[in-house]
Amino acid sequence: MHHLIANIVQQVGSIVIGKEPEIRLSLACLFAKGHILIEDLPGMGKTTLAQVLSKTLGLSYQRTQFTSDMLPSDVVGISIFDTDKNAFTLHKGPIFNQVVLADEINRASPKTQSALLEAMESAHVSIDGKTYALPEPFFVIATQNPLFHSGTYPLPESQLDRFTMRITLGFPSLEAEKKILANSNNREDINNLKACITAEQLLDIQKLIEDVHVSESILEYVIALCQVSRKNIGNINPLSPRAGKALLASAKAWAFMDNRDHVLPQDIQAVFEAVCEHRLDTTGSISMANEMSAAKNILQQVDPTNPL
C-alpha cells in the first residue's frame, strides 16, 4: 500500500508542481473519509488539484460552479414526472459522483450551500421524502475565494465544521513557476493520466487506517489541545469533540501514509493547522498576514510528552 501511495503523490505532483505537502494533506483527508476546503486566489491550481486527484484515484468526478442564483436541486437533483411511465423519475445531480468539486462555494446562497451538509455528514441525500445513498468512496472538494473578493459570502460555522481540512496552495516557488509556465499542454497532460489505484483498493486503505493504533498518551494530547482552545477567552469558537475526532482520523491517515501502524505526536502536529484553523477562526478566510495562527499558538502551549 505504501508503494501505491508514493505513486499517487508522484503522479499528482507531476501536474500540481511544487505542492507535495498540500497533496499529502488532501490525500490524508480523503483516506480519513473527510472532505476538504481549498481557499486561495483565482488561478492558483485549486480546480487542477481536484481534477488530477480524481483521475489518479480512478474515481467518477464532476465539477459544479456555484453561483448566486443556484438552487439546492442543482446540487442533489430533482424528481421529474415521466408521462410514459406515469411515475416520477430521479434526475441525479452532481452530488452522485465519487469526487464532487464545489467550485467557489462561497458565491452561492446559504440555502444552496446547506444542500451539501447532509451529503457530507452521512453520505446520503433526501429528495422528495426519499433517501438515496451516495457512492463509495465519497469525497467533496470545495474551493472558495478570499472574502475580500466581490460576490462572496462567508460559510456558516456549521458548514465549515463539516470540512475535515482547509488548506491553501499559495504561490509556487521560482523553480515550480518556471515549470508551470514552460508546460503548454497542461489540459492534455491531465486527460492522459492513468489511475494508480482502484476504488476497491482505496476503500481497503480507508479500512486499514481505522485500525491504526492510537495510544492513551496520544488521546490525552488531542484532548489537551482541544482544552487549550476552550480555555482561551479570546477564542469564541473552541474545538468541539467532532474536531477532536477529525484531528485523530487525519493523524491516523498521515501515520499510515508514512508507513506506520501507530500515531505519533508529529502526526497530530502535521495535520493540526489544516484540521483546526478554520474551526478556530470562522471568518472563512485564511489570513494573509504573517502573524501566528490560532492553531500554531495552541500547538505551542501543549507539551506532547506531558499533555494533561
Side-chain angles (χ1 to χ4, degrees):
M1 288 297 184
H2 186 65
H3 180 66
L4 274 176
I5 293 170
N7 287 343
I8 293 169
V9 173
Q10 182 180 8
Q11 179 162 298
V12 176
S14 69
I15 304 293
V16 185
I17 299 170
K19 298 297 176 185
E20 184 174 332
E22 291 78 10
I23 293 168
R24 285 176 57 83
L25 282 170
S26 301
L27 283 174
C29 186
L30 170 58
F31 292 159
K33 299 182 180 179
H35 308 285
I36 195 165
L37 179 64
I38 308 176
E39 179 184 329
D40 221 318
L41 299 169
M44 301 295 280
K46 303 185 294 294
T47 304
T48 300
L49 175 58
Q51 287 179 307
V52 174
L53 276 174
S54 63
K55 277 274 192 178
T56 301
L57 298 171
L59 302 175
S60 64
Y61 164 82
Q62 188 163 341
R63 171 186 176 271
T64 299
Q65 178 66 49
F66 277 57
T67 58
S68 58
D69 59 349
M70 195 173 182
L71 298 174
S73 59
D74 295 326
V75 177
V76 299
I78 190 171
S79 293
I80 297 177
F81 189 75
D82 189 331
T83 55
D84 294 333
K85 297 179 180 179
N86 199 31
F88 283 94
T89 301
L90 175 65
H91 287 246
K92 294 181 177 180
I95 201 73
F96 286 91
N97 283 273
Q98 293 168 314
V99 176
V100 177
L101 174 61
D103 214 0
E104 297 186 313
I105 189 174
N106 58 336
R107 291 193 181 278
S109 66
K111 185 176 182 179
T112 302
Q113 291 173 4
S114 66
L116 284 172
L117 289 179
E118 181 187 10
M120 293 170 64
E121 183 66 18
S122 54
H124 64 249
V125 294
S126 298
I127 303 172
D128 293 338
K130 291 185 178 181
T131 300
Y132 300 89
L134 296 173
E136 289 187 331
F138 176 66
F139 187 41
V140 172
I141 303 175
T143 72
Q144 69 172 1
N145 294 329
L147 287 181
F148 57 79
H149 282 223
S150 60
T152 58
Y153 305 87
L155 297 181
E157 288 86 345
S158 61
Q159 187 157 333
L160 279 172
D161 195 42
R162 295 304 195 280
F163 288 101
T164 305
M165 292 186 187
R166 180 183 67 174
I167 64 171
T168 181
L169 295 177
F171 291 107
S173 65
L174 177 61
E175 289 303 315
E177 193 157 11
K178 281 183 182 178
K179 292 179 181 178
I180 292 169
L181 295 178
N183 183 11
S184 59
N185 296 315
N186 194 55
R187 190 182 302 276
E188 184 178 339
D189 290 342
I190 295 174
N191 291 334
N192 291 334
L193 289 176
K194 303 297 182 183
C196 293
I197 192 172
T198 65
E200 290 74 21
Q201 288 174 314
L202 179 52
L203 290 172
D204 287 342
I205 288 175
Q206 291 181 333
K207 289 177 182 177
L208 288 170
I209 284 172
E210 292 177 359
D211 296 330
V212 171
H213 178 69
V214 178
S215 65
E216 187 174 348
S217 62
I218 292 294
L219 290 176
E220 291 177 351
Y221 185 36
V222 171
I223 292 169
L225 291 167
C226 292
Q227 286 183 340
V228 168
S229 75
R230 297 164 191 169
K231 293 174 182 176
N232 187 348
I233 299 175
N235 180 25
I236 60 173
N237 295 293
L239 297 175
S240 66
R242 175 163 39 196
K245 290 184 72 173
L247 177 59
L248 203 56
S250 301
K252 288 166 74 172
W254 194 267
F256 183 86
M257 290 172 65
D258 278 347
N259 203 24
R260 276 183 284 105
D261 62 356
H262 59 282
V263 176
L264 298 176
Q266 51 260 42
D267 299 318
I268 301 290
Q269 295 158 5
V271 300
F272 187 77
E273 191 166 8
V275 172
C276 296
E277 184 63 27
H278 64 290
R279 293 177 165 93
L280 296 165
D281 176 17
T282 58
T283 58
S285 186
I286 292 175
S287 174
M288 298 295 176
N290 292 322
E291 60 195 37
M292 184 182 296
S293 68
K296 286 182 179 177
N297 185 40
I298 289 173
L299 275 178
Q300 288 194 355
Q301 295 184 51
V302 180
D303 180 2
T305 61
N306 186 27
L308 295 177

